[in-house]
């Protein structure tokens, strides 16, 4: 079998898993539809708010912190993306690749350090 | 029943802090009374907050702790507002009372003296219909927010009827049955 | 345009409604937290969801009938509540309580303090997020104490056992042995809690420096009990104005220094140990036999006109009963000075500027009993 | 009618209408694709390609057309994950997984946070700009030009080849060392830039509040 | 980390202990003698009639007013040729268990020792589907004592304030 | 209704019945006699609109029976109460969940949200201030749902009946399935009530479309 | 095997859709999303060429990787700008933010 | 395109479908078992019994719960956003389920051996967080909203330590193929060479699974169940299923990558029975530890939680990777790795302890706000 076919075959279960997962949820929902009683009572559609009627549509002022952490995550996620191929191949290339990665990580660590220093990691 | 009946002779204040209180409250109309465990000082309503502040700031008395604030409905004789004071370092007690006529239930707020008075006054206000003038947050405390005309602790406020759900023949029998 | 929008935006801080039905409000307390991100900007407490008129009803009850209602105002430490009430009646009526009854009252009250503190530990532990374990520890120890109470008084929570003048009936014959037995399991429980929390880094990180209140503020708000003592004010009615036999007992008033959540927790933990000590002393000093009621008790107790404000140290702080009599067999006016109400007032002071999670901890750390707050 | 039927409240009009339309559109396509596959006209890979392409294009269309921005971003997720499937079909396993890792986990969360900090707070519905028709024209033009050009060109019949992952890594770190460092610096700049921005915004908030 | 280890060990030690659970529906804990469930009326086994004379003392003393007492002339009184020395006897008696707060006051005020708190499990397992069923009438109040299951409530023997 | 004046009958008049003219009713708000006008509308009983399970409508009766049995059995073994303590009774309720009684043995575990709970244990005094919240929480529970009224207060106001801020029994606003007397009931009594609720569920399993 | 044209046409369409979004949308965040779509189209193109035509050099792959990387960085940075804009102007609409003196 | 399914030659599609069917059954059963076990174990930790009356030893408890949840009305609040609310269970559950594809249960019994299995695992497990945010946003509930945001913030913060700690092992193993990684541990499990990576993996896994002490998104005492407050019945049980399936996957992956899965200590040639016992025991150990921690530790606060990941775990795991690289590229002995790893664990412990025992202080901002409020 060609390498290409092999690769695609490998991912057949992944495709199927998506479908099966979907089917599972749908089946469960349908089963509930069949077995569960449904009614429309007056207060049922209200949002749970510890027994009080909700005041207005829930909206939230998401702190800037959440966003900062998300940026940090994206940046370091990308870093991880670079580390992955490196991790498996650097031995073959030798010390050069290793030190390249050290520099790479160091630069990013610098950024993290800067953010840390500036209090971006401090959740106030 | 009025408080006069329980008033002890004035000579009886030995061993209490009355002398100190009297000194601190010079200039304020105050009528002492010997209570069971401490001295009760009757102060007219207009002067009560001044007196309370003096009692708090006076170095020798230093009543920095408001134990309790409540009122007593004396029906025809008006409503008494009662302050129980305590000093956390001098460790002595004092009861301060002021009487409001039923026609005019107003008394200056003590929240300016102790923050502790805040909720206590709110409670007293809604329970007796007293107005604490100058109160920073005059909402109801225990009653629903839109019920400002019900004052359950007044003697005139009736108790509810017991709901009779007693099966056949389970109503209370007529008198003499 | 811009400024208008800005103003609009500023009022848009998220309001979350916590309670009246919320796992961590210990009953039907409700507070509205105004939060900015995760920080609490304002707390608006709402109480009164359990206002059921104990004071009003007691005005229609004779003194013995009122005891049951007192039980129910402070259901976690019913003995302590009963004690204040009956002592107020005794003070008004001028009754002398036999010595043995006083010792028994002391033991029972301290035991009740222990059980109440244990329940605090449990509920507080659950607030910090441990899955049930502390809750169960606390209730396990409480169950032991409750069993003892039940043997003595016949009920698990609402004992109705103290009477003006003494006790309703005598304790069981194996009382002392049973108390010792219970004390042993309590000691184990204290150890469990100590091990579970006191040094736990996460617990410490969550509680130290959180919910701070200074001694001055605490006094100004009229706080009392362990919540006040944690701020460093050694105010304890048992020491300052001893009642029962506390003057004959050697015990420390536990104070904290920092006035934060951890101190409030730790004060209670140490108070548990103190209470155990007190009970041990009481057991040693208590006479084995003797009367528990004064000789001549009227069938229907009447009090001379007068008034008394009687305070005792309940687990949550100063439980005061202000009793006004007009000479009948029932109070003319009864006011319960609730420690929780005053402690709760300081909630805003303590939790503003903290994280949402901390606000919950602060609420847990002042250990409220809603029926005492609302009565 | 909807009130009378013992319908669960959640199967309300939106979902029913949406689901019906989606089902009506998707079902025939799926059936055709399956039929083609079974009869051997197209390979399984091609079938998957068409499905993925449908998801990608549908998602992209949704992302640019839907008014509710949260829904638009949901739709974008479909596109980005579908693109990962396309990468897979292009036999680049690694890039596909990277796509899932970076976009599925990171960028989308970032976008959602940003959305929730802005419009989605109260009113997630946005109005599109007035240059819609113009934009439509330009887009059709560009798309048309590209597609005709692409279809016109003679691509021969090249076949895809699998690129071993290890070789790929070696290649990057041997031959592209300078770009890698540049990427690091770029990321750093993005990081600090974002922080500075966020800090300014926060400082502004403080000001506005006080 | 030491503290975390300590908490982990604490819970582990709990893990190794025996559960304290009482297997309730199968195992009933022995109730203490003084247990107070709900008030019951006692049956005078000697004369074969209730002790209760319907004197209303308990009814008046009950803080929650959950009792209703009706008395009648005792048909078994000596004066009419019976064996009992009770001139009056209980005619109808209701206690609303749904309202009773188990305060024991009715027991204390009764001069005839005619009422006692149920200290058996039957007094506790009383859940019903209709709250009217919680209003106990004379027959139900007497049945347990009549059968000999309940005699009198224990602490009354000791010193009480009556 | 009003009796129109001047309808006095004379012996000569054949009409002996006073004419009663209905007056137009203007106040749609239900008013409970003796209630504070602000409060009365909040205290009306919850409006029940029981729903039906689909299988009850589509399946023939024979096939329903095993499903009823299965559902009934599992519902009864997995009663999740909402943690809802109101007053003193709540302490005993919590005690019931604790190690000495351990309701988890019966599969009964408390959940904080009404959405995941099956049974509401009203443990304690329902004041009129709290009553709307109780009602709302009950309404927010998904069907099928049950209510246990625990303790004297929830059943009919208990010791506090005579205080007019207290609701005289929670069954004024929501339907109650099991009443547990006691003030507070022992934990065993609560377990007993849950067991009797389980029996009830098994008995009523066929009609349980609530 | 899937013909290469399929991928190329798809990428062109994606690019066009993204382009439409950039032009038609007013909310800055939505514009960024559209840019993401365009970049995805471009990356598909790169990879298609790399794996179909450039069997051993695969620079296209590396380029695609860099595209993804840069896109992520760009989103992070640009959203930062948008957020700041929003905080100061209370709007995320590019039309309203046309005066750049802040 | 045929492949080998337990000795039979079947079409790849059929093979995948069959194996997935097996997983569906297996997952359902194990998840139910896990829920039962959790309740029993937590019960023991609290000196009580746990489910007991439903079926023998309460074994049917989870079944009863599941059936009941199916027969429970399935609500959606009126104001909820229909699309997000409806789609959230799918988005949460499907990625978790897809994660099963690479889990190396036993020799030949995993669904597929992917060359980039580890990368696949980390990539796919990061997707479901979108579902959490959707559930939170769509419910129109403040608790849910806050819970969803917290979940997202927490998950992205701990994703990196998780990924990188797995990567550290992959470096030593020289492959991302999970099966291969397990096989290489025939004699020594990687926990010996990479103890710190394991510690970090465990902590990060706890956080990813929203398990105590990192359960702030679902913390009962704060947000009453987090993003799922408004979900009832079957949808809610989908979330639960996903949660426990995630726990299962994480435990098996952890057991395979660090504890040697089915290979250690006796090599992979063992019979199926022994392999089941080995994997079960190792995964069970991890799961037990999770439950144990749940019964003992308080919840962290959000700032502490985020800080812990970014300030402590991430730097440490980066150092671990660089050290691994150094040792590997210069061909030093693996023992160095073990020693360094142990030192790392010590560092982790002491830094954690130090971080927790900061001196008490009132934050300046809190003080300022307090002034405002007073
Ligand atoms: S029980 Fe006792 S007090 Fe009550 S009516 Fe009968 S005899 Fe009188
Ligand atoms: S026990 Fe108390 S409440 Fe109950 S009937 Fe007797 S007196 Fe009334
Ligand atoms: S029934 Fe009794 S114990 Fe229960 S809430 Fe009411 S007063 Fe408290």
């Amino acid at each position: 079998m060609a390498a290409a076919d092999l690769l695609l075959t490998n991912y057949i279960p992944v495709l199927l898993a998506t479908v099966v997962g979907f089917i599972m949820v749908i089946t469960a929902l349908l089963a509930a539809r069949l077995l569960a009683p449904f009614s429309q009572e007056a207060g049922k559609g209200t949002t749970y708010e510890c027994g009080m009627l909700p005041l207005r549509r829930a909206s939230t002022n998401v702190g800037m912190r959440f966003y900062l952490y998300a940026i940090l995550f994206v940046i370091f996620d990308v870093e991880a993306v670079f580390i992955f191929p490196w991790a498996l191949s650097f031995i073959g290339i030798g010390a050069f690749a290793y030190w390249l990665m050290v520099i790479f990580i160091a630069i990013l660590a610098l950024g993290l350090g800067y953010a840390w220093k500036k209090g971006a990691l401090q959740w106030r | 029943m009025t408080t006069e009946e329980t008033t002890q002779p004035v000579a009886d204040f030995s061993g209490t802090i009355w002398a100190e209180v009297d000194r601190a409250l010079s200039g304020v109309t105050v009528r002492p009374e010997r209570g069971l465990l401490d001295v009760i000082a009757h102060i007219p309503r207009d002067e009560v907050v001044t007196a309370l502040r003096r009692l708090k700031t006076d170095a020798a008395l230093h009543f920095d702790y408001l134990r309790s604030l409540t009122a007593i409905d004396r029906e025809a004789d008006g409503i008494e507002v009662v302050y129980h004071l305590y000093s956390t370092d001098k460790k002595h007690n004092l009861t301060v009372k002021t009487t409001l006529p039923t026609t005019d239930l107003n008394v200056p707020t003590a929240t300016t003296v102790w923050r502790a008075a805040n909720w206590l006054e709110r409670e007293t206000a809604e329970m007796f219909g007293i107005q604490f003038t100058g109160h920073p947050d005059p909402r109801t405390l225990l009653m629903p927010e839109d019920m400002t005309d019900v004052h359950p602790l007044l003697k005139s406020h009736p108790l509810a009827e017991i709901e009779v759900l007693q099966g056949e023949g389970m109503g209370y029998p007529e008198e003499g049955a | 345009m811009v400024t208008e929008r800005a103003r609009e935006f500023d009022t848009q801080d998220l309001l979350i409604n916590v309670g009246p039905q919320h796992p961590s409000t210990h009953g039907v307390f409700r507070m509205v937290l105004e939060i900015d991100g995760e920080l609490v900007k304002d707390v608006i407490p709402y109480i009164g969801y359990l206002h059921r008129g104990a004071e009003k009803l007691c005005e229609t009850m004779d003194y013995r009938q009122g005891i049951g209602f007192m039980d129910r105002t402070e259901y976690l430490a019913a003995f302590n509540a009963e004690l204040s009430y009956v002592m107020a009646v005794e003070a008004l009526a001028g009754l002398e309580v036999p010595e043995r009854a006083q010792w028994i009252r002391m033991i029972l009250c301290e035991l009740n303090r222990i059980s109440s503190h244990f329940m605090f530990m449990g509920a507080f532990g659950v607030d910090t997020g441990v899955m049930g374990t502390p809750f169960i520890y606390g209730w396990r120890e409480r169950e032991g104490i409750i069993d003892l109470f039940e043997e003595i008084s016949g009920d698990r929570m609402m004992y109705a056992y103290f009477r003006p003048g003494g006790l309703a009936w005598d304790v069981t014959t194996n009382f002392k042995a049973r108390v010792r037995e219970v004390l042993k399991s309590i000691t184990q429980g204290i150890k469990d809690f100590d091990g579970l929390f006191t040094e736990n880094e996460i617990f410490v990180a969550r509680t130290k420096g959180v919910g701070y209140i200074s001694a001055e503020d605490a006094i100004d708000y009229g706080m009392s009990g362990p919540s006040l003592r944690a701020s460093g004010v050694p105010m304890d009615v048992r020491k300052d104005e001893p009642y029962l036999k506390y003057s004959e007992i050697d015990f420390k008033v536990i104070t904290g220094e920092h006035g934060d959540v951890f101190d409030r927790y730790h004060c209670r933990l140490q108070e548990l140990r103190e209470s155990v000590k007190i009970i041990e002393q009481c057991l040693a000093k208590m006479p084995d036999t003797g009367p528990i009621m004064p000789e001549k008790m009227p069938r229907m107790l009447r009090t001379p006109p007068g008034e008394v404000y009687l305070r005792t140290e309940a687990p949550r702080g100063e439980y005061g009963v202000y009793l006004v009599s007009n000479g009948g067999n029932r109070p003319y006016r009864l006011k319960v000075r609730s420690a929780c109400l005053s402690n709760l007032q300081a909630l805003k002071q303590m939790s503003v500027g903290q994280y949402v999670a901390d606000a919950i901890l602060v609420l847990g750390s002042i250990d409220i009993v809603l029926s005492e707050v609302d009565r | 009618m909807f009130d009378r039927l013992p319908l669960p409240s959640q199967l309300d009009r939106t979902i029913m209408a949406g689901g019906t339309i989606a089902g009506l559109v998707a079902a025939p396509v799926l059936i055709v694709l399956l039929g083609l596959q079974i009869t051997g006209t197209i390979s399984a890979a091609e079938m998957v390609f068409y499905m993925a392409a449908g998801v990608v294009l549908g998602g992209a269309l949704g992302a640019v057309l839907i008014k509710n921005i949260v829904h638009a971003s949901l739709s974008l997720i479909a596109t980005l994950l579908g693109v990962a499937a396309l990468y897979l079909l292009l036999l680049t396993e690694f890039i596909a997984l990277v796509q899932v890792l970076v976009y599925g986990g990171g960028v989308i969360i970032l976008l959602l946070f940003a959305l929730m900090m802005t419009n989605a707070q109260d009113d997630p519905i946005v109005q599109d700009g007035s240059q819609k028709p113009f934009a439509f024209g330009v887009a059709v033009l560009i798309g048309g030009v590209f597609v005709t050009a692409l279809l016109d060109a003679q691509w021969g019949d090249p076949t895809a080849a699998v690129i071993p992952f290890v070789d790929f890594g070696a290649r990057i770190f041997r031959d592209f060392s300078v770009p890698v460092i540049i990427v690091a610096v770029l990321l750093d700049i993005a990081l600090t830039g974002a922080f500075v921005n966020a800090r300014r915004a926060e400082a502004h908030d403080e000001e506005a509040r006080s | 980390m030491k503290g975390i280890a300590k908490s982990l060990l604490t819970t582990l030690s709990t893990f190794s202990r025996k559960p304290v659970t009482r297997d309730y529906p199968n195992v009933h804990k022995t109730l203490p003698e003084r247990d107070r469930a709900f008030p019951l009326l006692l049956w005078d086994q000697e004369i074969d009639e209730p002790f209760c004379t319907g004197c209303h003392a308990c009814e008046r003393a009950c803080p929650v007013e959950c009792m209703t007492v009706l008395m009648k002339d005792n048909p078994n009184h000596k004066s009419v040729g019976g064996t009992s020395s009770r001139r009056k006897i209980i005619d109808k008696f209701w206690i609303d268990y749904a309202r009773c707060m188990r305060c024991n006051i009715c027991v204390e005020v009764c001069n005839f020792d005619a009422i006692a708190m149920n200290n058996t499990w039957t007094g506790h397992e009383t859940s019903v589907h209709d709250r009217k069923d919680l209003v106990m009438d004379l027959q139900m109040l007497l049945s347990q004592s009549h059968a000999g299951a309940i005699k009198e409530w224990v602490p009354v023997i000791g010193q009480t304030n009556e | 209704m009003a009796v129109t004046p001047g309808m006095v009958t004379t012996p000569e008049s054949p009409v002996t019945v006073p004419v009663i003219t209905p007056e137009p009713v203007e106040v749609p708000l239900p008013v409970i006699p003796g209630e504070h006008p602000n409060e009365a509308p909040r205290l009306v009983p919850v409006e029940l609109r029981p729903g039906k399970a689909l299988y009850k409508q589509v399946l023939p009766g024979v096939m329903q029976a095993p499903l009823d049995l299965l559902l009934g059995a599992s519902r009864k073994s997995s009663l999740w109460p909402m943690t809802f303590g109101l007053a003193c009774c709540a302490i005993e309720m919590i005690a019931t969940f604790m190690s000495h009684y351990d309701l988890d043995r019966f599969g009964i575990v408390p959940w904080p949200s009404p959405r995941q709970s099956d049974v509401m244990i009203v443990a304690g005094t329902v004041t009129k201030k709290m009553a709307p919240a109780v009602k709302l929480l009950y309404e927010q529970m998904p069907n099928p749902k049950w209510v246990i009224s625990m303790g004297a207060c929830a059943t009919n106001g208990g010791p506090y009946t005579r205080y007019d801020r207290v609701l005289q029994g929670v069954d004024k606003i929501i339907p109650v399935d099991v009443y547990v007397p006691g003030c507070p009931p022992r934990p065993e009594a609560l377990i007993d009530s849950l067991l009797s609720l389980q029996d009830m569920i098994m008995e009523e399993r066929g009609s349980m479309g609530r | 095997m899937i013909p290469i044209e399929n991928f190329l046409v798809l990428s062109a369409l994606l690019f066009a859709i993204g382009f439409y979004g950039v032009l038609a949308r007013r909310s800055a965040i939505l514009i960024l999303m559209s840019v993401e779509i365009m970049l995805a189209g471009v990356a598909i193109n790169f990879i298609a060429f790399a794996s179909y035509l450039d069997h051993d050099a695969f620079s296209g792959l590396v380029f695609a990787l860099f595209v993804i990387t840069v896109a992520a960085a760009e989103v992070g940075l640009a959203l930062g700008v948008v957020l700041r804009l929003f905080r100061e102007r209370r709007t995320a609409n590019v039309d309203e933010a046309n005066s750049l003196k802040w | 395109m045929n492949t080998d399914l337990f000795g039979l030659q079947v079409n790849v599609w059929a093979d995948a479908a069959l194996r997935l069917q097996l997983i569906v059954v297996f997952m359902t059963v194990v998840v139910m078992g896990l829920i039962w076990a959790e309740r029993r174990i937590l019960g023991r930790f609290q000196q009580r019994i746990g489910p007991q009356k439903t079926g023998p030893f309460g074994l049917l408890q989870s079944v009863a719960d599941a059936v009941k949840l199916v027969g429970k009305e399935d609500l959606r609040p009126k104001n909820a956003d229909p699309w997000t609310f409806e789609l959230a269970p799918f988005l949460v559950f499907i990625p978790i389920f897809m994660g099963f594809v690479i889990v190396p249960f036993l020799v030949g019994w995993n669904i597929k051996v992917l060359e980039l299995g580890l990368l696949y695992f980390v990539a796919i497990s990061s997707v479901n967080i979108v579902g959490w945010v959707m559930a939170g946003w769509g419910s129109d509930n403040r608790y849910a909203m806050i819970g969803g945001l917290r979940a997202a913030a927490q998950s992205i913060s701990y994703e990196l330590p998780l990924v990188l700690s797995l990567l550290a092992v992959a470096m030593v193993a020289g492959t991302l193929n999970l099966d291969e990684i397990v096989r290489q541990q025939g004699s020594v499990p990687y926990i010996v060479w990479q103890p710190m990576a394991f510690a970090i993996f465990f902590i990060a896994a706890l956080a990813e699974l929203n398990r105590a002490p990192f359960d702030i998104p679902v913390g009962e005492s704060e947000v009453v169940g987090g993003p799922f407050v408004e979900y009832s019945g079957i949808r809610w049980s989908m979330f639960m299923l996903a949660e426990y399936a995630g726990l299962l996957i994480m435990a098996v992956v952890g057991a395979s990558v660090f504890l040697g899965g089915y290979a250690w200590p006796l090599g992979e040639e063992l019979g199926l029975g022994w392999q089941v016992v080995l994997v079960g025991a190792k995964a069970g150990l991890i799961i037990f530890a999770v439950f144990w921690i749940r019964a003992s530790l308080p919840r962290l606060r959000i700032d502490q939680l985020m800080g812990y990941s970014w300030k402590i775990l991430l730097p440490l795991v980066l150092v671990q990777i660089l050290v691994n690289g150094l040792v590997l590229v210069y061909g030093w002995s693996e023992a160095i790795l073990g020693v360094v790893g142990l030192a790392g664990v010590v560092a982790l412990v002491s830094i954690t302890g130090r971080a927790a025992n900061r001196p008490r202080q009132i934050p300046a901002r809190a003080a300022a706000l307090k002034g405002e409020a007073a």
Side-chain angles (χ1 to χ4, degrees), chain A residues 48-50 52 54-56 58-60, chain C residues 12-19 22 25 30-46 355-357 359-360, chain H residues 141-147 150 221-224:
Chain A
Y48 166 70
E49 200 127 298
C50 286
M52 287 288 126
L55 304 169
R56 53 167 191 242
S59 65
T60 182
Chain C
Q12 277 228 331
D13 283 307
L14 181 59
L15 292 176
I16 9 176
N17 183 38
V18 180
H22 188 278
T25 51
R30 171 180 174 217
M31 58 182 178
V32 174
L33 297 176
E34 189 182 331
I35 63 167
D36 164 23
E38 285 270 342
L39 285 179
V40 176
K41 279 182 70 187
D42 198 2
V43 183
I44 312 164
Y46 291 88
Y355 292 89
V356 182
I360 305 268
Chain H
N141 181 310
R142 287 176 179 78
Y143 305 120
M145 182 77 234
I146 294 173
R150 283 178 171 187
S221 61
E222 293 155 34
V223 286
V224 268

Side-chain angles (χ1 to χ4, degrees), chain C residues 52 72 158, chain F residues 87-89 123-125 150-153 159-160 182-184:
Chain C
R52 45 189 190 180
R72 283 160 180 78
M158 310 305 180
Chain F
C88 351
C89 281
T125 321
M150 179 186 183
C153 287
Y160 298 96
C183 181

